[in-house]
Amino acid sequence: MPEIIKTAGDSIRKNIFLLTGILLLLLFIVPGSASAQQQRFPMPEFQTGYELPDTDRPEPRAPGMEIFDLAVLVLVLAFTTWLVLKRRSRKLVFWTSVFALLYFGFYRNGCICPIGGVQNVSLALFGDGYILSLTVLAFFVIPLFVTLFAGRIFCASACPLGVIQDLVIIKPVKLPQWLQRTLGLIPFIFLGFAVLYAATGTTFIICRYDPFVGIFRMGASFSMAILGVSFLAAGIFVARPYCRFLCPYGAILRVFSIFSSRHMSITPEECINCKLCEDSCPFDAIDYPNDEKKNRATKADYRRFVFYSAAIPVLIIAGALAVSGSYKLLSKVHPDVYLANLLVEDPGMMYESDMTEIETFMASDRTLEMLVADATEVQSRFRRGGYYLGGFLGLLIGLSLTQQVTFRKRTIYEVNRGSCYSCGRCMEYCPVGKPDHPYHKEDNNNHS
Amino acid sequence: MSKIQSRRKFIRSITRYSLGFSLAALTGFSLGKATKSEWVWQIDPFKCTSCGRCATDCVLNPSAVKCVHAYDLCGYCDLCGGYLEPGHISRDTAAENQLCPTAAIERRFIEAPYYEYKIKEDLCIGCAKCVEGCTAFGNGSLHLQVRHNLCTNCNECAIARVCPSDAVIRVKAEVPYLIKGGFTPE
C-alpha cells in the first residue's frame, strides 16, 4: 500500500507544478482564501460557461408516511379485536393478517416493528444521548395497551413475523408440556439480554437475529437466509416456533395477555365439553378440563411450593451475582471493549496488525488511555445491568418452579390466555350457537 | 367457589391496573426522550476512513451506500486520484487505468485542463476506493453517502455496527444528507 501511494504521489507532485501555476493565481484573486486553503486544488474558474451540477439528493420516505404506518397498525388491531371478540370469524382474521404481512412485511420490509422497538425504548431510557422517534415509541406501546384490553391481538394479525409462520403451519405436532414450558423460558431470557445489550449501547441483538427480515427484503446474507428458511421449515411441524420459543416481545405480551380484561374465547356461550376443539389449536394453547383426583395438590406439593417460594429470593440474589460477575465476558461484544482487550493484552498489535479497527484507532486522535477509559465505563454498565438481569432471571426460574406444583381446577375447555395468539382457529370448531354444525346433525341422528 | 372466583378476579384486575400504570409510566419517561422527527442513517464524510465495509456489510446487495460527488469541492483535475489507478498507463478512460472496480465514474472533458467526474449510481457499489484516492491526493470531493431512495432504514444499520470509525450516524429525516462542500468563500 505505501508503495502505491508513493508512485501516485510522485506523479501527482510533477503535475502539481503545472496546476499550481494556473491555480495559485486564482487563490490570490478569490477573497477569503482562508477557507479555500483547505482545498488542495481550488475550484477552477471555467471559461466555457460550464455550470456546476447539483449533487443529487434523493429524499427519504416522506415523514408523514410514518403516521400512515401507525394508522394502519391501529386499524388492523382495532379491526382484529372486533373480529375476534364480536364477529368471531377466523376467515376474516386470516385475510387481515395476510394484508398486514404484505404491508408491514413485504412493503415496509419489516422495519420498524414493536419487537425491535423494545431495544430502542431501552436504549433511550438507559443509554445516554439516544433520541427516540415518537413513531417507534407508539409502535412499541400500542400493541401492549391493546393486549391489556383484548389479549394478543397483535400476534394474531398485525405481526408480519408471526403471520409468515402462521401461513406455513401444515402438520402441527403436539409438544410435550415439559418441553413447551422449558423452551417457553427462552423468550424471557432473550428479552433480558436484548434489553441489557441495548441499554449498554452495544448492539440490537433482536434485529441481528431476526430470522424473517431477510425474507421480507427478498435478500439476505447466507446465514440469515438459512436461519429464516429453517425457522419456516420447522414451522411446518412446530407451529410458530419463533413466536413461542424466541420472540422477546411475545414474552411481554404473554404477561399482559394473562391479565387482559377481555379475551377471545373458544365458545360464544357455555362450553358443552364436546371435545371438538381439542386438537384445533396448533400452538397447544387450549387448556383441557382436568381430572380432579389426578391433578390435586398433594402434601408433598404443598411442601415443594413453600420451598420453591422461599427459594425465590435466594435465586434472585444468586442470579444477580452470577450475571453481574460475568460482566467481562458479556461486555466483550461491545466494540470498544473488544478493541481495548486486544490492545491491552498485546500492545505490539498497535503497530503491526492490519486489522481495520486497529488501523482506524491508530489513525484517530484517541489515545489508548481514552479507549480503556471508555471500555471500563461500558464494563461498569454491564456490571450494573447484570444485577438487574440476573435478578430477573432468578425470579423467572423461581416462578416457573412454583408453577410446576400449582394446579388449577378446570371443568371446561379454555384458552390459555398467556399462550393464545387469538388467531381464532378454535372458534371454527365450536358447535355452540351454530345450528348447521355437523355435530348437531350427528346428535339428531343418534336420537332418531 | 364464588369467593375464590371473586378473589381471582380481584387479583387479576389489580395486576392489570398496575401493568397498565407501569406501561403508562414507561411511556411517559420515554416521551421525555422522544422527538417528533424521524431518523435516518447517514455517513459523516469527515469521520469515514474508506475501509470498504459499506460495500460488504449493507443488508442490501449492492449496498445502499454510494459515492457522491461534491462538485463545488472538486478541483476538476486531469490527474484525478479518485479516478485513475495508481501507476496507470495513460490518463484516459481505458478500463485498465480506472481505479473504480465497476467503472462507475464517468470522466468528461470540460475545457483544458479540466475534467468532470460523475458517479453512475447504478454501477457504484460503495467500495470507497475512489474516496480513498480522492481524499489522499485530491480535495476529498468524492465521498460516501447513504442513498435514501435505496436504504431500508433498518432499526440498527448493519454498516453502523461494523464501522470502525463510528462514521454511520443517525440524522433527522428533514436533513438527510451530509454532503461535503460549502468551501466557497462567504
Side-chain angles (χ1 to χ4, degrees):
Chain A
M1 195 63 197
E3 273 178 30
I4 299 169
I5 293 173
K6 214 173 171 190
T7 46
D10 282 345
S11 51
I12 220 163
R13 230 163 277 143
K14 277 176 222 157
N15 213 48
I16 275 178
F17 287 113
L18 241 165
L19 275 167
T20 35
I22 313 156
L23 303 177
L24 211 62
L25 210 74
L26 290 171
L27 252 176
F28 287 109
I29 297 166
V30 176
S33 56
S35 53
Q37 271 171 5
Q38 293 175 49
Q39 269 173 288
R40 290 189 190 128
F41 310 100
M43 202 176 79
E45 290 214 333
F46 296 104
Q47 307 297 318
T48 48
Y50 169 77
E51 275 189 25
L52 281 187
D54 243 355
T55 309
D56 189 27
R57 292 170 168 83
E59 285 292 311
R61 200 159 164 268
M65 289 302 281
E66 257 79 21
I67 312 272
F68 183 71
D69 289 345
L70 213 56
V72 173
L73 176 74
V74 171
L75 276 178
V76 165
L77 288 177
F79 185 55
T80 315
T81 308
W82 176 74
L83 285 181
V84 164
L85 294 183
K86 287 261 152 31
R87 180 72 205 278
R88 299 177 57 81
S89 161
R90 163 69 191 155
K91 209 178 245 171
L92 287 176
V93 172
F94 173 79
W95 288 113
T96 319
S97 72
V98 169
F99 163 75
L101 172 66
L102 292 177
Y103 186 81
F104 290 115
F106 290 101
Y107 170 64
R108 293 291 299 124
N109 293 134
C111 266
I112 172 79
C113 79
I115 305 173
V118 174
Q119 305 160 116
N120 301 55
V121 173
S122 348
L123 182 55
L125 285 177
F126 303 110
D128 36 34
Y130 185 84
I131 301 161
L132 195 65
S133 108
L134 269 182
T135 327
V136 177
L137 181 61
F139 256 82
F140 172 69
V141 165
I142 290 173
L144 284 175
F145 270 113
V146 171
T147 307
L148 207 50
F149 288 109
R152 299 171 74 165
I153 300 292
F154 173 74
C155 301
S157 69
C159 177
L161 283 79
V163 177
I164 197 170
Q165 295 173 84
D166 211 278
L167 295 182
V168 298
I169 302 174
I170 296 169
K171 187 124 189 62
V173 292
K174 269 198 181 337
L175 296 179
Q177 197 154 34
W178 63 267
L179 187 64
Q180 280 188 62
R181 277 200 176 163
T182 321
L183 292 178
L185 290 178
I186 300 174
F188 291 93
I189 299 170
F190 193 21
L191 173 71
F193 277 98
V195 171
L196 179 72
Y197 277 111
T200 52
T202 308
T203 183
F204 283 5
I205 53 173
I206 300 176
C207 298
R208 206 158 162 175
Y209 300 110
D210 179 343
F212 304 114
V213 75
I215 296 171
F216 297 147
R217 286 197 206 104
M218 304 278 191
S221 65
F222 183 69
S223 55
M224 210 181 209
I226 289 288
L227 194 68
V229 170
S230 49
F231 260 102
L232 284 186
I236 297 175
F237 307 104
V238 181
R240 290 208 190 202
Y242 184 80
C243 306
R244 283 156 86 195
F245 307 128
L246 213 54
C247 179
Y249 192 63
I252 316 177
L253 290 177
R254 169 184 285 270
V255 176
F256 274 60
S257 179
I258 288 172
F259 299 103
S260 66
S261 54
R262 300 194 61 185
H263 199 282
M264 190 209 83
S265 61
I266 303 173
T267 169
E269 288 148 45
E270 292 267 296
C271 175
I272 53 171
N273 275 324
C274 65
K275 298 184 179 180
L276 284 181
C277 62
E278 208 168 49
D279 295 324
S280 65
C281 184
F283 317 112
D284 302 327
I286 296 180
D287 287 334
Y288 301 160
N290 46 19
D291 189 348
E292 225 181 305
K293 276 174 198 152
K294 245 190 223 164
N295 270 312
R296 188 178 260 166
T298 58
K299 254 199 179 140
D301 286 328
Y302 279 119
R303 249 177 298 165
R304 277 163 75 199
F305 182 78
V306 173
F307 174 72
Y308 289 147
S309 311
I312 288 181
V314 182
L315 282 169
I316 291 178
I317 293 169
L321 292 177
V323 176
S324 174
S326 47
Y327 71 97
K328 276 193 175 151
L329 182 74
L330 293 174
S331 63
K332 262 185 189 165
V333 184
H334 196 284
D336 279 354
V337 179
Y338 177 73
L339 192 59
N341 275 343
L342 271 185
L343 295 182
V344 168
E345 222 162 80
D346 180 14
M349 281 185 92
M350 281 195 269
Y351 307 100
E352 289 154 15
S353 170
D354 55 353
M355 233 176 91
T356 313
E357 276 83 5
I358 296 179
E359 279 178 348
T360 314
F361 167 71
M362 292 309 287
S364 70
D365 41 5
R366 249 169 131 195
T367 61
L368 186 59
E369 284 77 42
M370 285 157 83
L371 177 71
V372 170
D374 286 346
T376 317
E377 166 61 23
V378 172
Q379 284 192 330
S380 73
R381 279 188 183 186
F382 267 93
R383 190 146 64 176
R384 264 176 284 146
Y387 281 119
Y388 295 106
L389 174 60
F392 170 70
L393 294 182
L395 177 70
L396 183 68
I397 294 169
L399 285 180
S400 55
L401 280 178
T402 53
Q403 260 192 1
Q404 299 288 317
V405 287
T406 45
F407 303 97
R408 179 166 293 184
K409 202 178 118 186
R410 259 186 311 271
T411 49
I412 53 166
Y413 285 84
E414 277 179 305
V415 291
N416 182 314
R417 287 196 172 198
S419 315
C420 173
Y421 299 120
S422 298
C423 69
R425 282 188 177 84
C426 52
M427 299 189 304
E428 281 197 329
Y429 288 81
C430 185
V432 175
K434 290 177 200 155
D436 306 338
H437 199 282
Y439 177 78
H440 300 298
K441 277 172 198 154
E442 263 173 43
D443 218 27
N444 292 339
N445 291 343
N446 289 345
H447 283 296
S448 59
Chain B
M1 185 62 199
S2 67
K3 211 172 156 191
I4 293 176
Q5 289 280 9
S6 68
R7 190 172 67 202
R8 234 174 235 165
K9 214 175 167 187
F10 176 71
I11 294 172
R12 278 170 51 97
S13 52
I14 287 288
T15 320
R16 177 163 64 247
Y17 286 125
S18 46
L19 279 177
F21 180 75
S22 30
L23 183 59
L26 183 97
T27 315
F29 278 123
S30 310
L31 272 178
K33 308 225 174 180
T35 50
K36 252 180 128 176
S37 46
E38 282 303 316
W39 298 84
V40 290
W41 296 100
Q42 195 45 275
I43 294 171
D44 181 343
F46 295 100
K47 281 192 191 164
C48 171
T49 52
S50 344
C51 68
R53 287 185 181 170
C54 288
T56 54
D57 282 78
C58 183
V59 295
L60 300 176
N61 188 22
S63 172
V65 172
K66 305 279 175 204
C67 180
V68 298
H69 199 185
Y71 292 97
D72 56 345
L73 193 59
C74 180
Y76 286 81
C77 314
D78 178 13
L79 182 68
C80 174
Y83 181 77
L84 295 165
E85 175 90 14
H88 54 274
I89 301 155
S90 59
R91 227 172 285 160
D92 58 26
T93 56
E96 70 268 24
N97 298 326
Q98 290 189 34
L99 182 61
C100 180
T102 57
I105 306 178
E106 195 179 86
R107 173 179 155 112
R108 187 166 71 98
F109 176 72
I110 303 290
E111 59 181 67
Y114 303 127
Y115 287 83
E116 183 198 76
Y117 298 94
K118 199 174 160 193
I119 313 290
K120 291 186 214 157
E121 241 168 55
D122 47 340
L123 291 181
C124 179
I125 55 167
C127 68
K129 288 208 169 78
C130 60
V131 178
E132 197 177 9
C134 181
T135 316
F137 309 119
N139 290 345
S141 56
L142 292 169
H143 59 94
L144 294 183
Q145 288 284 282
V146 174
R147 306 306 271 170
H148 292 300
N149 50 340
L150 305 171
C151 177
T152 56
N153 204 9
C154 299
N155 198 16
E156 186 188 43
C157 173
I159 304 170
R161 197 153 59 206
V162 296
C163 177
S165 54
D166 292 331
V168 183
I169 52 174
R170 291 162 84 231
V171 295
K172 284 190 179 171
E174 296 95 70
V175 200
Y177 288 96
L178 298 170
I179 291 188
K180 272 188 178 180
F183 278 87
T184 40
E186 283 158 29

